[in-house]
Amino acid sequence: MGEHAVVIAGGGPAGMMLAAELALAKVDVAIVERRPDHVLADSRAGGVHARTIEVLDQRGIADRFLAEGQTAQAATFGTTVLDMSDFPTRHPYSLGIWQKKIERIMAAWIAELPVRIMYGCEVTGFAQDDTGVDVELSGGQSLRARYLVGCDGGRSLIRKAAGIEFPGWDATRSNLIAEVEVTEEPPKGLRHDASGVHALNRMEDGRTFRVVTTERQVGSGTEPTLSDLSEALITVYGTDFGIHSPTWISRFTDMTRQAASYRAGRVLLAGDAAHVHYPAGGQGLSLGVQDAVNLGWKLAQVVDGTSPESLLDTYHDERHPVAARALRHTMAQTTLQRRDERMLALVEVVSDLATLDEPRKRLAGIISGLDIHYDAGEGGHPLVGRRMPDLDLATADGDGGGPLRVFELLHDARPVLLDLSERGGVDITPWAGRVELVVARYAGEWELPVLGAVAAPSAVLIRPDGYVAWVGEGSDAGLADALARWFGAPVAA
């Protein structure tokens, strides 16, 4: 029986991101992936939002994705594009990039890290005890792990076997999605009707079209065929445009569900295993990656004994409300895609409101993930629990090497205490081996998305996921408590 500190079931974006986070923390991790490799025939998800681009930037790999995608103002609500070009971030946009590219880039990244991937097998069952989890694999193999994380999608076996409930809403509509060739040139742009949204868009190869169409009735659970797609297109357009040679055809619905708990003992969930929803707004992949970044450093600290198991409870406490809010907004967006006369009146009212400055910023902050606010501890400063801005810092030693970006300090996924006071002398000796102390200066304005300008702090404690755990306002009051809460008990000199 092979042994690993953590076994991850599922090697999609959430699973790979979690594996990378654990590997950066020197945790022994293995991914069990049923596919033979990370080459996808279908494009799947179509992009990521601003906060997820920032997360990749925190690890020093955002440029790999930006080089293969296309930036755009693509955060939408209803029919309104929410311009976020004025947001205070280096990435005030969404990135259009197909999931097959995302997975290829991420697979290349984790190949640079000590991550074992077991392709061509899947978890078939598990049993947990007080010290770990026995994980059964297809083919009769087994693994022993301290913790098991289910990143195995909406039909998650891990979630079901752990007995975690998955409450929510059943499907009220379904869509067919495919990549096919055509003999007739289809019309450009989206078409809305009383059923939902329909579109045919030419792919990068210039020959294949990506087709999305809403079915008149909720489709059956069987695999859709080219005939099903043809019939659905004729219903909407009066022709199927001579579709042929499909690369893939699939069906998705607006079923919306969320795991009641993200943890059951030594078993945890992330990504689609924890939450499923209609893809309106394109938040699914971003939510999963951010789940992984929130969980990774916490799980690493529990595995290596730095923190107690109770730290894992903060994963559910922080991420469950974020996904719950995303699910509510996705259901609203899904409803706004319908276009009967009564719904059109609602769409027009919402669109008018969404163009106003304050609603625009609020909605764009939610969709982009830039306004996420965790309950990270005591403190009245608005930075606490929010993402740390990527400031250009002047290092205290004045070495002439140019500004130092905050996100550069997070490349190794370690916590950072940023001392911006003129006096210096912040003492973190009992945590010196866990938290990096950086003395620097910053003279610019501190501005947060949606909230605007905030008072400049004298020091900031930044978690490995880029969120602020403590803010100094001229003193070190509360720092020791924040260090102990998030990064373990102090070590005696």
Side-chain angles (χ1 to χ4, degrees):
M1 177 185 293
E3 294 191 14
H4 298 279
V6 179
V7 169
I8 300 170
M16 285 192 283
M17 192 73 206
L18 178 58
E21 294 291 293
L22 293 167
L24 287 169
K26 306 297 190 291
V27 171
D28 174 29
V29 58
I31 295 174
V32 178
E33 171 54 50
R34 61 181 177 80
R35 295 173 295 175
D37 52 41
H38 274 97
V39 178
L40 291 173
D42 50 321
S43 301
R44 298 199 189 180
V48 292
H49 288 295
R51 179 56 191 153
T52 302
I53 304 171
E54 285 193 339
V55 163
L56 299 172
D57 202 352
Q58 289 173 185
R59 299 299 179 254
I61 59 169
D63 287 348
R64 305 186 190 191
F65 297 87
L66 291 168
E68 297 204 35
Q70 184 173 354
T71 61
Q73 293 300 321
T76 60
F77 195 82
T79 58
T80 305
V81 176
L82 305 168
D83 181 15
M84 51 179 291
S85 59
D86 59 346
F87 273 38
T89 170
R90 293 183 195 273
H91 306 289
Y93 44 69
S94 301
L95 179 66
I97 179 172
W98 295 119
Q99 185 173 333
K100 64 181 179 183
K101 288 187 177 181
I102 293 172
E103 292 209 15
R104 172 172 50 77
I105 296 168
M106 294 189 83
W109 178 40
I110 65 172
E112 301 166 10
L113 304 170
V115 176
R116 182 188 179 194
I117 304 181
M118 302 176 65
Y119 286 114
C121 66
E122 57 188 315
V123 175
T124 58
F126 63 84
Q128 60 173 312
D129 53 43
D130 291 341
T131 61
V133 187
D134 291 321
V135 183
E136 302 170 6
L137 307 180
S138 55
Q141 297 175 281
S142 63
L143 296 172
R144 176 72 176 175
R146 296 270 302 280
Y147 291 90
L148 172 64
V149 185
C151 297
D152 52 339
R155 298 183 178 91
S156 174
L157 179 146
I158 306 302
R159 185 189 65 242
K160 295 173 183 175
I164 298 174
E165 294 183 0
F166 203 41
W169 296 266
D170 291 332
T172 64
R173 64 190 283 189
S174 63
N175 289 70
L176 295 175
I177 182 170
E179 290 176 13
V180 298
E181 294 182 33
V182 300
T183 58
E184 304 172 26
E185 187 72 16
K188 295 180 180 179
L190 298 176
R191 175 172 295 191
H192 295 270
D193 59 22
S195 297
V197 65
H198 317 273
L200 295 91
N201 295 307
R202 191 183 301 273
M203 300 289 288
E204 293 173 348
D205 62 10
R207 182 186 70 256
T208 308
F209 280 79
R210 183 180 175 94
V211 182
V212 178
T213 185
T214 306
E215 297 179 278
R216 287 290 187 259
Q217 296 178 332
V218 177
S220 67
T222 60
E223 288 296 317
T225 65
L226 187 64
S227 177
D228 293 330
L229 181 61
S230 172
E231 182 179 338
L233 288 173
I234 290 171
T235 300
V236 177
Y237 293 96
T239 175
D240 67 0
F241 306 103
I243 56 171
H244 64 94
S245 305
T247 305
W248 60 278
I249 305 173
S250 186
R251 175 182 281 117
F252 62 89
T253 75
D254 66 344
M255 181 178 70
T256 303
R257 296 186 179 277
Q258 185 178 21
S261 174
Y262 284 13
R263 178 186 174 206
R266 292 180 173 271
V267 178
L268 299 108
L269 305 175
D272 289 353
H275 38 73
V276 296
H277 57 86
Y278 194 72
Q283 296 187 68
L285 193 151
S286 288
L287 283 172
V289 169
Q290 292 175 53
D291 285 347
V293 174
N294 184 285
L295 173 61
W297 65 276
K298 297 173 181 177
L299 186 53
Q301 288 183 182
V302 172
V303 166
D304 69 18
T306 298
S307 297
E309 275 202 14
S310 57
L311 182 64
L312 295 177
D313 294 332
T314 69
Y315 168 58
H316 171 93
D317 293 344
E318 292 183 343
R319 291 303 300 169
H320 192 278
V322 171
R325 184 179 68 166
L327 265 56
R328 289 195 301 271
H329 279 76
T330 298
M331 285 193 290
Q333 292 224 56
T334 303
T335 300
L336 292 171
Q337 286 185 350
R338 301 182 190 273
R339 286 297 187 277
D340 58 52
E341 290 185 4
R342 290 181 178 272
M343 186 56 63
L344 184 58
L346 176 61
V347 169
E348 290 173 350
V349 170
V350 171
S351 297
D352 286 343
L353 291 173
T355 59
L356 300 176
D357 205 41
E358 186 173 343
R360 170 185 68 86
K361 288 182 178 180
R362 180 164 182 170
L363 290 169
I366 292 169
I367 294 167
S368 67
L370 289 171
D371 80 327
I372 290 172
H373 185 200
Y374 297 140
D375 181 10
E378 298 297 325
H381 197 285
L383 267 173
V384 176
R386 290 187 166 90
R387 38 77 80 185
M388 175 67 186
D390 186 24
L391 309 176
D392 284 322
L393 305 172
T395 52
D397 57 12
D399 59 10
L404 175 67
R405 291 175 53 198
V406 167
F407 284 5
E408 292 180 80
L409 301 173
L410 298 173
H411 284 186
D412 294 331
R414 295 189 64 214
V416 173
L417 178 61
L418 189 60
D419 182 358
L420 299 164
S421 67
E422 295 296 325
R423 57 186 176 82
V426 176
D427 183 15
I428 61 166
T429 301
W431 293 272
R434 307 173 201 163
V435 180
E436 181 181 2
L437 175 61
V438 177
V439 180
R441 297 185 305 277
Y442 180 72
E445 186 178 57
W446 288 71
E447 188 178 3
L448 299 178
V450 185
L451 290 184
V454 299
S458 60
V460 183
L461 179 60
I462 311 169
R463 308 189 323 187
D465 57 358
Y467 288 84
V468 175
W470 170 86
V471 168
E473 298 180 84
S475 76
D476 299 344
L479 175 58
D481 290 341
L483 287 164
R485 177 186 181 188
W486 295 109
F487 309 118
V491 177

